[in-house]
mmCIF file of all heavy atoms in Angstrom:
data_model
loop_
_atom_site.group_PDB
_atom_site.id
_atom_site.type_symbol
_atom_site.label_atom_id
_atom_site.label_comp_id
_atom_site.label_asym_id
_atom_site.label_seq_id
_atom_site.Cartn_x
_atom_site.Cartn_y
_atom_site.Cartn_z
ATOM 1 N N HIS R 276 -1.844 -1.241 20.527
ATOM 2 C CA HIS R 276 -0.780 -1.953 19.789
ATOM 3 C C HIS R 276 -0.001 -0.941 18.965
ATOM 4 O O HIS R 276 -0.180 -0.843 17.756
ATOM 5 C CB HIS R 276 -1.407 -2.979 18.849
ATOM 6 C CG HIS R 276 -2.160 -4.043 19.538
ATOM 7 N ND1 HIS R 276 -3.478 -3.903 19.901
ATOM 8 C CD2 HIS R 276 -1.777 -5.234 19.993
ATOM 9 C CE1 HIS R 276 -3.887 -5.014 20.514
ATOM 10 N NE2 HIS R 276 -2.855 -5.849 20.587
ATOM 11 N N ARG R 277 0.859 -0.208 19.588
ATOM 12 C CA ARG R 277 1.471 0.959 18.949
ATOM 13 C C ARG R 277 2.253 0.644 17.667
ATOM 14 O O ARG R 277 2.089 1.287 16.670
ATOM 15 C CB ARG R 277 2.458 1.587 19.919
ATOM 16 C CG ARG R 277 1.826 2.122 21.113
ATOM 17 C CD ARG R 277 2.608 3.245 21.680
ATOM 18 N NE ARG R 277 1.708 4.334 21.947
ATOM 19 C CZ ARG R 277 1.709 5.486 21.313
ATOM 20 N NH1 ARG R 277 2.578 5.743 20.381
ATOM 21 N NH2 ARG R 277 0.843 6.416 21.638
ATOM 22 N N ASN R 278 3.120 -0.359 17.736
ATOM 23 C CA ASN R 278 4.167 -0.466 16.705
ATOM 24 C C ASN R 278 3.994 -1.646 15.749
ATOM 25 O O ASN R 278 4.931 -1.929 15.001
ATOM 26 C CB ASN R 278 5.518 -0.543 17.368
ATOM 27 C CG ASN R 278 5.788 0.762 18.095
ATOM 28 O OD1 ASN R 278 5.724 1.816 17.484
ATOM 29 N ND2 ASN R 278 6.015 0.686 19.392
ATOM 30 N N ALA R 279 2.887 -2.301 15.808
ATOM 31 C CA ALA R 279 2.840 -3.530 15.028
ATOM 32 C C ALA R 279 1.400 -3.910 14.718
ATOM 33 O O ALA R 279 0.958 -5.009 14.952
ATOM 34 C CB ALA R 279 3.527 -4.633 15.801
ATOM 35 N N PHE R 280 0.657 -2.963 14.141
ATOM 36 C CA PHE R 280 -0.747 -3.298 13.817
ATOM 37 C C PHE R 280 -0.802 -4.165 12.569
ATOM 38 O O PHE R 280 -0.283 -3.785 11.506
ATOM 39 C CB PHE R 280 -1.542 -2.020 13.528
ATOM 40 C CG PHE R 280 -1.981 -1.284 14.767
ATOM 41 C CD1 PHE R 280 -1.256 -0.215 15.247
ATOM 42 C CD2 PHE R 280 -3.140 -1.686 15.427
ATOM 43 C CE1 PHE R 280 -1.677 0.450 16.386
ATOM 44 C CE2 PHE R 280 -3.573 -1.023 16.576
ATOM 45 C CZ PHE R 280 -2.820 0.053 17.058
ATOM 46 N N ASN R 281 -1.455 -5.331 12.684
ATOM 47 C CA ASN R 281 -1.820 -6.080 11.461
ATOM 48 C C ASN R 281 -2.787 -5.209 10.662
ATOM 49 O O ASN R 281 -3.738 -4.647 11.252
ATOM 50 C CB ASN R 281 -2.571 -7.364 11.793
ATOM 51 C CG ASN R 281 -1.693 -8.475 12.300
ATOM 52 O OD1 ASN R 281 -0.485 -8.289 12.476
ATOM 53 N ND2 ASN R 281 -2.275 -9.620 12.541
ATOM 54 N N ILE R 282 -2.613 -5.128 9.359
ATOM 55 C CA ILE R 282 -3.691 -4.607 8.516
ATOM 56 C C ILE R 282 -3.901 -5.584 7.361
ATOM 57 O O ILE R 282 -2.949 -6.223 6.919
ATOM 58 C CB ILE R 282 -3.494 -3.164 7.983
ATOM 59 C CG1 ILE R 282 -2.232 -3.039 7.130
ATOM 60 C CG2 ILE R 282 -3.463 -2.156 9.119
ATOM 61 C CD1 ILE R 282 -2.148 -1.712 6.402
ATOM 62 N N ALA R 283 -5.137 -5.689 6.914
ATOM 63 C CA ALA R 283 -5.419 -6.595 5.812
ATOM 64 C C ALA R 283 -6.331 -5.917 4.830
ATOM 65 O O ALA R 283 -7.175 -5.113 5.199
ATOM 66 C CB ALA R 283 -6.104 -7.871 6.343
ATOM 67 N N ALA R 284 -6.108 -6.205 3.562
ATOM 68 C CA ALA R 284 -6.986 -5.652 2.506
ATOM 69 C C ALA R 284 -7.451 -6.763 1.572
ATOM 70 O O ALA R 284 -8.619 -6.831 1.184
ATOM 71 C CB ALA R 284 -6.269 -4.572 1.715
ATOM 72 N N MET R 285 -6.509 -7.655 1.208
ATOM 73 C CA MET R 285 -6.854 -8.765 0.294
ATOM 74 C C MET R 285 -5.808 -9.860 0.421
ATOM 75 O O MET R 285 -4.652 -9.565 0.806
ATOM 76 C CB MET R 285 -6.944 -8.273 -1.148
ATOM 77 C CG MET R 285 -5.632 -7.686 -1.663
ATOM 78 S SD MET R 285 -5.774 -6.892 -3.260
ATOM 79 C CE MET R 285 -5.959 -5.174 -2.836
ATOM 80 N N SER R 286 -6.202 -11.078 0.185
ATOM 81 C CA SER R 286 -5.249 -12.189 0.169
ATOM 82 C C SER R 286 -5.512 -12.982 -1.099
ATOM 83 O O SER R 286 -6.669 -13.314 -1.390
ATOM 84 C CB SER R 286 -5.506 -13.070 1.411
ATOM 85 O OG SER R 286 -4.850 -14.313 1.245
ATOM 86 N N PHE R 287 -4.452 -13.226 -1.899
ATOM 87 C CA PHE R 287 -4.647 -14.001 -3.123
ATOM 88 C C PHE R 287 -3.350 -14.708 -3.492
ATOM 89 O O PHE R 287 -2.314 -14.458 -2.908
ATOM 90 C CB PHE R 287 -5.131 -13.097 -4.253
ATOM 91 C CG PHE R 287 -4.219 -11.939 -4.584
ATOM 92 C CD1 PHE R 287 -3.083 -12.127 -5.333
ATOM 93 C CD2 PHE R 287 -4.522 -10.642 -4.145
ATOM 94 C CE1 PHE R 287 -2.240 -11.068 -5.671
ATOM 95 C CE2 PHE R 287 -3.668 -9.578 -4.464
ATOM 96 C CZ PHE R 287 -2.514 -9.804 -5.232
#
Side-chain angles (χ1 to χ4, degrees):
H276 297 87
R277 296 208 132 246
N278 295 305
F280 280 98
N281 283 4
I282 59 170
M285 60 188 98
S286 165
F287 58 78

